[in-house]
Coordinates of all heavy atoms in Angstrom, one line a residue:
M1 N 17.1 30.3 10.6 CA 16.0 29.7 10.0 C 15.4 28.6 10.9 O 16.1 28.0 11.7 CB 16.3 29.2 8.6 CG 17.5 28.2 8.6 SD 17.5 27.2 7.1 CE 16.7 25.7 7.7
A2 N 14.2 28.3 10.6 CA 13.5 27.3 11.5 C 14.0 25.9 11.2 O 14.4 25.6 10.0 CB 12.0 27.3 11.2
R3 N 14.1 25.1 12.2 CA 14.6 23.8 12.0 C 13.5 23.0 11.3 O 12.3 23.1 11.7 CB 14.9 23.2 13.4 CG 15.8 22.0 13.3 CD 16.1 21.5 14.7 NE 16.3 20.1 14.6 CZ 17.3 19.4 14.1 NH1 18.3 20.1 13.5 NH2 17.3 18.1 14.0
I4 N 13.9 22.2 10.4 CA 12.9 21.4 9.6 C 12.8 20.0 10.2 O 13.8 19.4 10.5 CB 13.4 21.3 8.1 CG1 13.3 22.7 7.5 CG2 12.5 20.3 7.4 CD1 14.2 22.9 6.3
T5 N 11.6 19.6 10.4 CA 11.4 18.2 11.0 C 10.6 17.4 10.0 O 9.7 17.9 9.4 CB 10.7 18.2 12.3 OG1 9.5 19.0 12.2 CG2 11.5 18.9 13.4
I6 N 11.1 16.2 9.8 CA 10.4 15.3 8.9 C 10.1 14.0 9.7 O 10.9 13.5 10.3 CB 11.3 14.9 7.7 CG1 11.6 16.2 6.9 CG2 10.6 13.9 6.8 CD1 12.9 16.3 6.3
R7 N 8.8 13.7 9.6 CA 8.4 12.5 10.4 C 7.4 11.6 9.6 O 6.9 12.1 8.6 CB 7.8 12.9 11.7 CG 6.5 13.7 11.6 CD 6.3 14.6 12.8 NE 5.1 15.4 12.5 CZ 3.9 15.1 12.7 NH1 3.6 13.9 13.1 NH2 2.9 15.9 12.3
V8 N 7.3 10.4 10.1 CA 6.3 9.5 9.5 C 5.1 9.5 10.3 O 5.2 9.3 11.5 CB 6.9 8.1 9.3 CG1 5.9 7.1 8.9 CG2 8.1 8.1 8.4
E9 N 4.0 9.8 9.7 CA 2.7 9.9 10.5 C 1.7 8.8 10.0 O 1.4 8.8 8.9 CB 2.1 11.3 10.3 CG 0.9 11.6 11.1 CD 0.4 13.0 10.9 OE1 -0.3 13.2 9.8 OE2 0.7 13.9 11.7
P10 N 1.3 8.0 11.0 CA 0.3 7.0 10.6 C -1.0 7.7 10.3 O -1.4 8.7 10.9 CB 0.2 6.1 11.8 CG 1.3 6.5 12.8 CD 1.6 7.9 12.4
R11 N -1.7 7.1 9.3 CA -3.0 7.7 8.9 C -4.1 6.7 8.9 O -3.9 5.5 8.6 CB -2.9 8.3 7.5 CG -1.9 9.5 7.4 CD -2.6 10.7 7.8 NE -1.6 11.8 7.9 CZ -1.3 12.6 6.9 NH1 -1.8 12.4 5.7 NH2 -0.4 13.6 7.1
H12 N -5.3 7.1 9.1 CA -6.5 6.3 8.9 C -6.9 6.3 7.4 O -6.3 7.0 6.6 CB -7.7 6.9 9.7 CG -7.5 7.0 11.2 ND1 -7.6 8.2 11.9 CD2 -7.1 6.1 12.1 CE1 -7.4 7.9 13.1 NE2 -7.0 6.7 13.3
A13 N -7.9 5.5 7.1 CA -8.4 5.4 5.7 C -8.8 6.7 5.2 O -8.7 7.0 4.0 CB -9.5 4.3 5.7
D14 N -9.4 7.6 6.1 CA -9.8 8.9 5.6 C -8.7 10.0 5.6 O -9.0 11.2 5.5 CB -11.0 9.4 6.4 CG -10.7 9.7 7.9 OD1 -9.5 9.5 8.3 OD2 -11.6 10.1 8.6
N15 N -7.5 9.5 5.8 CA -6.3 10.4 5.8 C -6.1 11.3 7.0 O -5.3 12.1 7.1 CB -6.2 11.2 4.5 CG -4.8 11.5 4.1 OD1 -3.9 10.7 4.3 ND2 -4.5 12.7 3.5
S16 N -6.9 11.0 8.1 CA -6.7 11.8 9.3 C -5.6 11.1 10.1 O -5.4 9.9 10.0 CB -8.0 11.8 10.1 OG -8.4 10.5 10.4
P17 N -4.8 11.8 10.9 CA -3.7 11.2 11.6 C -4.1 10.2 12.7 O -5.2 10.5 13.3 CB -3.0 12.4 12.3 CG -3.7 13.6 11.8 CD -4.9 13.3 11.1
C18 N -3.4 9.1 12.8 CA -3.7 8.1 13.8 C -2.7 8.2 14.9 O -1.6 7.9 14.7 CB -3.8 6.7 13.2 SG -4.1 5.5 14.5
D19 N -3.1 8.6 16.1 CA -2.2 8.6 17.3 C -2.7 7.7 18.3 O -2.4 7.8 19.5 CB -2.0 10.1 17.8 CG -3.3 10.7 18.1 OD1 -4.4 10.1 18.1 OD2 -3.3 12.0 18.4
H20 N -3.5 6.7 17.9 CA -4.0 5.7 18.8 C -3.0 4.6 19.0 O -2.2 4.4 18.1 CB -5.3 5.1 18.2 CG -6.4 6.2 17.9 ND1 -6.7 6.6 16.6 CD2 -7.2 6.9 18.7 CE1 -7.6 7.5 16.7 NE2 -7.9 7.7 17.9
A21 N -3.2 3.8 20.0 CA -2.4 2.6 20.2 C -3.0 1.6 19.3 O -4.3 1.4 19.3 CB -2.5 2.2 21.7
V22 N -2.2 0.9 18.5 CA -2.7 -0.1 17.6 C -1.9 -1.4 17.8 O -0.8 -1.4 18.3 CB -2.7 0.3 16.1 CG1 -3.6 1.4 15.9 CG2 -1.3 0.6 15.7
K23 N -2.5 -2.5 17.4 CA -1.8 -3.8 17.5 C -0.9 -3.9 16.3 O -1.0 -3.1 15.3 CB -2.9 -4.9 17.4 CG -3.8 -5.0 18.6 CD -4.9 -6.0 18.3 CE -5.9 -6.0 19.5 NZ -7.1 -6.7 19.1
P24 N 0.1 -4.8 16.3 CA 1.0 -4.9 15.2 C 0.3 -5.1 13.9 O 0.8 -4.7 12.8 CB 1.8 -6.1 15.5 CG 1.8 -6.2 17.0 CD 0.4 -5.7 17.4
S25 N -0.9 -5.6 13.9 CA -1.7 -5.8 12.6 C -2.2 -4.5 12.1 O -2.7 -4.4 11.0 CB -2.9 -6.7 12.9 OG -3.7 -6.1 13.9
G26 N -2.2 -3.4 12.9 CA -2.7 -2.1 12.5 C -4.1 -1.9 13.0 O -4.7 -0.8 12.8
K27 N -4.7 -2.9 13.6 CA -6.1 -2.7 14.1 C -6.0 -2.0 15.5 O -5.0 -2.2 16.2 CB -6.7 -4.1 14.3 CG -6.9 -4.9 13.0 CD -8.2 -4.5 12.4 CE -8.4 -5.2 11.0 NZ -7.7 -4.5 9.9
P28 N -7.1 -1.2 15.8 CA -7.0 -0.5 17.1 C -7.0 -1.4 18.3 O -7.6 -2.5 18.3 CB -8.3 0.3 17.1 CG -9.2 -0.3 16.0 CD -8.2 -1.0 15.0
R29 N -6.2 -1.0 19.3 CA -6.0 -1.8 20.5 C -7.3 -1.6 21.4 O -7.7 -2.6 22.0 CB -4.8 -1.3 21.2 CG -4.2 -2.3 22.2 CD -2.8 -1.8 22.7 NE -1.7 -2.0 21.8 CZ -1.0 -3.1 21.7 NH1 -1.3 -4.1 22.4 NH2 0.0 -3.2 20.8
D30 N -7.8 -0.4 21.4 CA -9.0 -0.1 22.2 C -10.2 0.2 21.2 O -10.2 1.2 20.6 CB -8.7 1.1 23.1 CG -9.9 1.5 23.9 OD1 -10.9 0.8 23.9 OD2 -9.9 2.5 24.5
P31 N -11.1 -0.8 21.1 CA -12.2 -0.6 20.2 C -13.1 0.7 20.5 O -13.7 1.2 19.6 CB -13.1 -1.8 20.4 CG -12.3 -2.8 21.2 CD -11.3 -2.0 21.9
A32 N -13.0 1.2 21.7 CA -13.7 2.4 22.1 C -13.0 3.7 21.8 O -13.6 4.8 22.0 CB -14.0 2.3 23.6
S33 N -11.8 3.6 21.2 CA -11.0 4.8 21.0 C -11.5 5.6 19.8 O -11.1 6.7 19.5 CB -9.6 4.5 20.8 OG -9.4 3.7 19.6
G34 N -12.4 5.0 19.0 CA -12.9 5.6 17.8 C -11.9 5.5 16.6 O -12.1 6.0 15.5
C35 N -10.9 4.7 16.8 CA -9.9 4.5 15.8 C -10.4 3.5 14.8 O -11.0 2.5 15.1 CB -8.6 3.9 16.4 SG -7.3 3.7 15.3
T36 N -10.2 3.8 13.5 CA -10.6 2.9 12.4 C -9.5 2.0 11.9 O -9.7 1.3 11.0 CB -11.2 3.8 11.3 OG1 -10.2 4.7 10.9 CG2 -12.5 4.5 11.7
G37 N -8.3 2.1 12.5 CA -7.2 1.3 12.1 C -6.3 2.1 11.2 O -6.7 3.0 10.5
R38 N -5.0 1.8 11.2 CA -4.1 2.5 10.3 C -4.0 1.8 9.0 O -3.9 0.6 8.9 CB -2.7 2.4 10.9 CG -2.6 3.2 12.2 CD -1.2 3.1 12.9 NE -1.3 3.8 14.1 CZ -0.3 4.0 14.9 NH1 0.9 3.4 14.6 NH2 -0.4 4.7 16.0
T39 N -4.1 2.6 8.0 CA -4.1 2.0 6.6 C -3.0 2.6 5.8 O -2.6 2.1 4.7 CB -5.4 2.3 5.9 OG1 -5.6 3.7 5.8 CG2 -6.6 1.6 6.6
A40 N -2.3 3.7 6.2 CA -1.3 4.3 5.5 C -0.3 5.1 6.4 O -0.7 5.4 7.5 CB -1.8 5.2 4.4
Y41 N 0.9 5.3 5.8 CA 1.9 6.1 6.6 C 2.3 7.3 5.7 O 2.8 7.0 4.5 CB 3.1 5.3 6.9 CG 2.7 4.2 7.9 CD1 2.2 3.0 7.5 CD2 2.8 4.4 9.3 CE1 1.8 2.0 8.4 CE2 2.4 3.4 10.2 CZ 1.9 2.2 9.7 OH 1.5 1.3 10.6
A42 N 2.1 8.5 6.1 CA 2.5 9.7 5.3 C 3.8 10.2 5.8 O 4.1 10.2 7.0 CB 1.4 10.7 5.4
V43 N 4.6 10.7 4.9 CA 5.9 11.4 5.3 C 5.5 12.9 5.4 O 5.0 13.5 4.4 CB 7.0 11.2 4.3 CG1 8.2 12.0 4.7 CG2 7.3 9.7 4.2
V44 N 5.6 13.5 6.6 CA 5.2 14.9 6.8 C 6.5 15.7 7.1 O 7.2 15.5 8.0 CB 4.2 15.0 7.9 CG1 3.7 16.4 8.1 CG2 3.0 14.1 7.7
C45 N 6.6 16.8 6.3 CA 7.8 17.7 6.4 C 7.2 19.0 7.0 O 6.2 19.5 6.6 CB 8.4 18.0 5.1 SG 9.6 19.3 5.1
S46 N 7.9 19.6 8.0 CA 7.4 20.8 8.6 C 7.4 22.0 7.6 O 6.8 23.0 7.8 CB 8.3 21.2 9.8 OG 9.6 21.4 9.5
E47 N 8.2 21.9 6.6 CA 8.2 22.9 5.6 C 7.3 22.7 4.4 O 6.7 23.6 3.8 CB 9.7 23.1 5.0 CG 9.8 24.4 4.2 CD 11.3 24.6 3.8 OE1 12.1 24.6 4.7 OE2 11.5 24.7 2.6
H48 N 7.2 21.4 4.0 CA 6.5 21.1 2.7 C 5.1 20.4 3.0 O 4.4 20.1 2.1 CB 7.3 20.2 1.9 CG 8.5 20.8 1.3 ND1 9.8 20.4 1.8 CD2 8.7 21.8 0.5 CE1 10.7 21.2 1.2 NE2 10.1 22.0 0.4
G49 N 4.9 20.0 4.3 CA 3.6 19.3 4.5 C 3.8 17.8 4.1 O 4.9 17.3 4.2
D50 N 2.8 17.2 3.5 CA 2.9 15.9 3.1 C 3.8 15.8 1.9 O 3.8 16.5 1.0 CB 1.5 15.4 2.6 CG 0.6 15.0 3.8 OD1 0.8 15.5 4.9 OD2 -0.4 14.3 3.5
V51 N 4.7 14.8 2.0 CA 5.7 14.6 1.0 C 5.3 13.4 0.2 O 5.3 12.3 0.7 CB 7.1 14.4 1.6 CG1 8.1 14.1 0.5 CG2 7.5 15.6 2.3
G52 N 5.0 13.5 -1.1 CA 4.5 12.4 -1.9 C 3.2 11.9 -1.4 O 2.5 12.5 -0.6
G53 N 2.8 10.7 -1.9 CA 1.6 10.1 -1.5 C 1.8 9.3 -0.2 O 2.9 9.0 0.1
P54 N 0.7 8.9 0.4 CA 0.9 8.0 1.6 C 1.4 6.6 1.2 O 1.1 6.1 0.1 CB -0.6 7.9 2.1 CG -1.5 8.3 1.1 CD -0.7 9.1 0.1
H55 N 2.2 6.0 2.1 CA 2.7 4.7 1.8 C 1.9 3.7 2.6 O 1.4 4.0 3.7 CB 4.2 4.6 2.3 CG 5.0 5.6 1.7 ND1 5.7 5.3 0.5 CD2 5.3 6.9 1.9 CE1 6.4 6.4 0.1 NE2 6.2 7.4 1.0
H56 N 1.6 2.6 2.0 CA 0.8 1.6 2.6 C 1.5 0.7 3.6 O 0.8 0.1 4.5 CB 0.0 0.8 1.6 CG -1.0 1.7 0.9 ND1 -2.2 2.1 1.5 CD2 -0.9 2.3 -0.3 CE1 -2.8 2.9 0.7 NE2 -2.1 3.1 -0.4
I57 N 2.8 0.7 3.6 CA 3.5 0.0 4.6 C 4.6 0.9 5.2 O 5.2 1.7 4.5 CB 4.1 -1.4 4.2 CG1 4.9 -1.3 2.9 CG2 3.0 -2.4 4.1 CD1 5.6 -2.6 2.6
K58 N 4.8 0.8 6.5 CA 5.7 1.7 7.2 C 7.1 1.5 6.7 O 7.9 2.5 6.7 CB 5.6 1.3 8.7 CG 6.1 2.4 9.6 CD 6.0 2.0 11.1 CE 6.3 3.2 12.0 NZ 6.0 2.9 13.4
Q59 N 7.5 0.3 6.3 CA 8.8 0.1 5.8 C 9.2 0.9 4.6 O 10.3 1.0 4.3 CB 9.0 -1.4 5.5 CG 9.2 -2.3 6.8 CD 7.9 -2.6 7.5 OE1 6.8 -2.1 7.1 NE2 8.0 -3.2 8.7
L60 N 8.1 1.3 3.8 CA 8.4 2.2 2.7 C 8.4 3.6 3.0 O 9.1 4.4 2.3 CB 7.3 1.9 1.6 CG 7.4 0.6 0.8 CD1 6.2 0.5 -0.2 CD2 8.7 0.5 0.1
A61 N 7.7 4.0 4.1 CA 7.6 5.4 4.5 C 9.0 5.9 5.1 O 9.4 7.0 4.8 CB 6.5 5.6 5.5
A62 N 9.6 5.0 5.8 CA 10.8 5.4 6.5 C 11.9 5.8 5.5 O 12.5 6.9 5.7 CB 11.3 4.3 7.4
P63 N 12.2 5.0 4.4 CA 13.2 5.4 3.5 C 12.8 6.7 2.7 O 13.7 7.5 2.4 CB 13.3 4.3 2.5 CG 12.5 3.2 3.0 CD 11.7 3.6 4.2
A64 N 11.5 6.9 2.5 CA 11.1 8.1 1.8 C 11.3 9.4 2.7 O 11.7 10.4 2.2 CB 9.6 8.0 1.5
A65 N 11.2 9.2 4.0 CA 11.5 10.3 5.0 C 13.0 10.6 5.0 O 13.4 11.7 5.0 CB 11.0 9.9 6.4
T66 N 13.8 9.5 5.0 CA 15.2 9.7 4.9 C 15.7 10.4 3.7 O 16.5 11.3 3.7 CB 15.9 8.3 5.0 OG1 15.4 7.7 6.2 CG2 17.4 8.4 5.1
E67 N 15.1 10.0 2.5 CA 15.4 10.6 1.3 C 15.1 12.1 1.3 O 15.8 12.9 0.8 CB 14.6 9.9 0.2 CG 15.1 10.1 -1.2 CD 14.2 9.3 -2.2 OE1 14.2 8.0 -2.1 OE2 13.5 9.9 -3.0
H68 N 13.9 12.5 1.8 CA 13.5 13.9 1.8 C 14.4 14.7 2.8 O 14.8 15.8 2.5 CB 12.0 14.0 2.3 CG 11.5 15.4 2.1 ND1 11.3 15.9 0.9 CD2 11.2 16.4 3.0 CE1 10.8 17.2 1.0 NE2 10.8 17.5 2.3
R69 N 14.8 14.1 3.9 CA 15.8 14.7 4.8 C 17.1 15.0 4.1 O 17.7 16.1 4.3 CB 16.0 13.7 6.0 CG 16.1 14.4 7.3 CD 16.1 13.3 8.4 NE 14.7 13.1 8.9 CZ 14.2 11.8 9.2 NH1 15.0 10.8 9.0 NH2 13.0 11.7 9.7
Q70 N 17.5 14.1 3.3 CA 18.7 14.2 2.5 C 18.6 15.3 1.5 O 19.6 16.1 1.2 CB 19.2 12.9 1.8 CG 19.9 12.0 2.8 CD 19.9 10.6 2.4 OE1 19.4 10.2 1.4 NE2 20.6 9.7 3.2
E71 N 17.4 15.5 0.9 CA 17.2 16.6 -0.1 C 17.4 17.9 0.6 O 17.9 18.9 0.0 CB 15.8 16.5 -0.7 CG 15.7 15.4 -1.8 CD 14.3 15.1 -2.2 OE1 13.4 16.0 -2.0 OE2 14.0 14.0 -2.7
H72 N 16.8 18.0 1.8 CA 17.0 19.3 2.6 C 18.5 19.5 2.9 O 18.9 20.7 2.8 CB 16.2 19.2 3.9 CG 14.8 19.6 3.7 ND1 14.4 20.9 3.5 CD2 13.6 18.9 3.7 CE1 13.1 20.9 3.4 NE2 12.6 19.7 3.5
R73 N 19.2 18.5 3.3 CA 20.6 18.6 3.6 C 21.4 19.1 2.4 O 22.2 20.0 2.5 CB 21.1 17.3 4.1 CG 22.2 17.4 5.1 CD 22.4 16.1 5.8 NE 21.4 15.8 6.8 CZ 21.1 14.6 7.2 NH1 21.7 13.5 6.6 NH2 20.2 14.4 8.1
A74 N 21.0 18.5 1.2 CA 21.7 18.9 0.0 C 21.4 20.4 -0.4 O 22.3 21.1 -0.8 CB 21.3 18.0 -1.2
A75 N 20.1 20.8 -0.2 CA 19.7 22.1 -0.5 C 20.5 23.1 0.4 O 20.9 24.2 0.0 CB 18.2 22.3 -0.3
L76 N 20.7 22.8 1.7 CA 21.4 23.6 2.6 C 22.9 23.7 2.2 O 23.4 24.8 2.3 CB 21.3 23.1 4.0 CG 20.0 23.3 4.8 CD1 20.0 22.6 6.1 CD2 19.7 24.8 4.9
A77 N 23.4 22.6 1.8 CA 24.9 22.6 1.5 C 25.1 23.4 0.2 O 26.2 23.9 0.0 CB 25.3 21.1 1.3
A78 N 24.1 23.5 -0.7 CA 24.3 24.2 -1.9 C 24.3 25.7 -1.7 O 24.7 26.5 -2.6 CB 23.2 23.8 -2.9
R79 N 23.8 26.2 -0.6 CA 23.7 27.6 -0.4 C 25.1 28.3 -0.1 O 25.9 27.7 0.4 CB 22.8 27.9 0.9 CG 21.5 28.4 0.4 CD 20.6 28.5 1.6 NE 19.3 27.8 1.3 CZ 18.4 27.5 2.2 NH1 18.6 27.8 3.4 NH2 17.3 26.8 1.8
Ligands
ZN101 ZN1 -6.3 5.6 15.0
ZN102 ZN1 10.6 19.3 3.0

């Protein structure tokens, strides 16, 4: 079976992924990059897509990603 990957993806206000370089404040480092700034962090699972709603701070997204990873591990162990 395919390996499942779960990651935290930064998002812009319109929910598009942000892969721009940003300052610690979340504001774009390069004003010409077209980046509108990071406003949320989504937990993205390769099997389920977005897991739950976006988190407004990264510190909350990381535990949600860990929790989802553990759910997968538990599901595998139950088989
Ligand atoms: Zn961006
Ligand atoms: Zn999943």
Side-chain angles (χ1 to χ4, degrees):
M1 56 159 263
R3 202 176 144 72
I4 295 154
T5 54
I6 296 145
R7 62 202 173 84
V8 174
E9 186 179 78
R11 295 280 172 87
H12 299 128
D14 66 358
N15 211 32
S16 58
C18 178
D19 53 11
H20 304 105
V22 295
K23 294 174 186 166
S25 63
K27 296 272 177 282
R29 205 171 278 277
D30 177 6
S33 65
C35 182
T36 53
R38 294 178 181 182
T39 57
Y41 295 85
V43 177
V44 184
C45 171
S46 62
E47 190 175 308
H48 297 109
D50 284 19
V51 177
H55 300 271
H56 291 284
I57 51 174
K58 201 175 188 176
Q59 282 77 3
L60 286 179
T66 304
E67 199 177 295
H68 190 70
R69 219 170 267 137
Q70 279 162 357
E71 280 169 26
H72 274 287
R73 211 165 284 151
L76 284 176
R79 252 172 234 167

